[in-house]
Amino acid sequence: MTVTALAWTITLAQVLLGIAMCCAAWRVAVGPRAQDRILGLDTLYVNAMLLLITFGIQTGRTLYFESALIVSLLGFVGTVACAKFLMRGEVIE
Amino acid sequence: MIQAPDLPQWAALVTGILLLGGAIAALIGSIGLVRMRSFYDRVHPPTIGSSMGVVLIAAASIVCFSVLRARPSVHEVLIVVFVTLTTPVTFMLLGRAALYRDSAESDDRMPPSR
């Protein structure tokens, strides 16, 4: 009984995070300008990281935690590089 | 696809509430990203997801794995610290880049200056 209720709660949380990722992807697709797309991409990767942690709770493995850490790390670097590109026109000066 | 760890009842309750709260916070942030009108309004809502959402879901993970292994498991704090440190840096850089671009094109989308 408890396991079933928790399983449905985890699935509901995953569906909500999936809807959140769809909203962020819509902002990436629609724009209207480059900074809006980068903002949507940032939200997209944060939501994907949360979804990975949720998968980790669901399966009881720590493998998902490590991939979530890597996603947050690379997402930060990517967003900073894009913002720097918008500011200067080049990433490495 | 429907599966869950075998937790005692109180731990399952705490994990479920924290997880749902985090997911709802992330959803509110993303809906705000879609609904807001200008870029300078849109910078604010995603921070709900990357502060409250990350904290709540990491807390759910900490409770779940600590009870499962019967020992404290706090490595999710690493993600919380990292995201909390990097999100303001990212959004400040992005906001300055947007301000620079808008002032270079001198259009009327800029926020009113004081």
Side-chain angles (χ1 to χ4, degrees), chain A residues 2, chain B residues 6-13 67-68:
Chain A
T2 313
Chain B
D6 195 9
L7 294 173
Q9 197 164 13
W10 65 271
L13 192 68
V67 173
L68 267 186

Side-chain angles (χ1 to χ4, degrees), chain A residues 27 33 36 47 58 79 86, chain B residues 1 30 34 42 102 105:
Chain A
R27 183 50 75 195
R33 303 192 73 203
D36 297 296
N47 288 333
Q58 190 179 37
T79 313
L86 283 191
Chain B
M1 214 49 217
S30 299
V34 170
R42 262 177 233 139
D102 283 350
E105 295 166 15

